[in-house]
Every structure is written in C-alpha cells, then in structure tokens.
Amino acid sequence: MAATPFTDLSSINPNEVVADRKAIYERLPHRFEFMQLDAILRIDREAGLAVGLRRVRSDEFWVRGHIPGQPIMPGILMLETAAQMASYLSQEVQPSTKFLAFGGLEDVKFRMAVTPPATMYIVEKIVEVRPRRTICDAQGFVDGKMVFEARIIGMPLAPSAPSPNDSQAS
C-alpha cells in the first residue's frame, strides 16, 4: 500500500458533518466504549471513498493504563475505528441490513503515536465489495500526518437483536 493520502485533507471541513455519532450508531451495532467514530465528514459513493472523524480524549478508558503518564492510543483501537468506518462505508456503497465485522487485516503500518487530546481523521477507500467480503484500504491522520495505514477485510454478519441497554449508548 502506498503512503500517498487518498484525499486532500485540507479540503475537509470538520464542521460539515454527513453523519453524526447518533446517525452512525443507528446503523452500526457498537455501544459504550466501542463507539469509536464521532462523525462522517465525506462520503463519495461513486469513488468508494469516505472520511470520518475520531476525537481522541484524555478521559477514555485506556488512558489510565496504556502507558501511565504518557498515554498512547492502542493501535488496535485505531484499527477498530477503521473497521467501523469500513462497515459504514460498505453499507453506503452496497446497502444491507448486515454490518461488516472484522475478517482480517493486511499491510498494517503504524507510523506515529497518537496521544490525547487529538483529532484523528480516518480515510477509507473501497478496494472490493462482494457478497461474502469487503476490502477497504484505510489511513489515519493526526495534524496532517499519517499515523497508520491498513487493509481492512470485512465479512458481513446478520444484525443482532438490539439489547435492552442500547438506550444507554453515549
């Protein structure tokens, strides 16, 4: 995978929101600490491209224990954010009642540490959509610098029944 950005981030306005957190998680089943996306800022269905926003906060559950005194966002949470973005994008390109679950990762590279507070932009580009799998290339950026890149392989799963505690989602 090339380290060239999929889109010009200077053209992204973080105040122009296509889908807010509430709209994202009406579609995705994640709840509580695993609601990783804060906004979708751009969707280009024709190009299979999307840009999302993740605010990395100092009060998150992992901050206290993931390197006390110098919290570093766990790479797996960056990848989880990218996987959720891939799930959202795949439903935009090929509407479905299923959500895209992790099926695999390839070509993962972490380029910089992410420390709170930070605003991370997730840029995704669909490589392939099939009935049994979707592949997206993902890039994460903080302060205009690429912090990770990965290929996300997702497999569609049937939606689960809503939990009675879903109303407690933040």
Side-chain angles (χ1 to χ4, degrees), residues 83-157:
Q84 290 181 27
M85 185 75 195
S87 184
Y88 191 92
L89 176 58
S90 73
Q91 289 182 28
E92 284 288 320
V93 171
Q94 184 175 340
S96 171
T97 59
K98 298 179 177 184
F99 85 98
L100 198 64
F102 256 133
L105 294 166
E106 293 178 350
D107 301 322
V108 176
K109 292 182 183 80
F110 295 104
R111 299 182 174 280
M112 296 179 69
V114 175
T115 59
T119 300
M120 183 167 57
Y121 293 91
I122 308 297
V123 183
E124 301 257 344
K125 186 174 182 181
I126 288 187
V127 174
E128 173 183 290
V129 177
R130 293 185 181 183
R132 296 189 68 197
R133 86 170 178 200
T134 297
I135 299 173
C136 291
D137 284 342
Q139 299 174 329
F141 297 87
V142 173
D143 295 329
K145 297 177 183 156
M146 189 179 297
V147 295
F148 79 87
E149 61 182 320
R151 177 159 281 186
I152 308 290
I153 302 166
M155 57 184 186
L157 292 182

Side-chain angles (χ1 to χ4, degrees), residues 71-84:
I72 298 172
M73 183 179 191
I76 195 64
L77 290 179
M78 291 184 220
L79 296 173
E80 174 64 29
T81 306
Q84 290 181 27

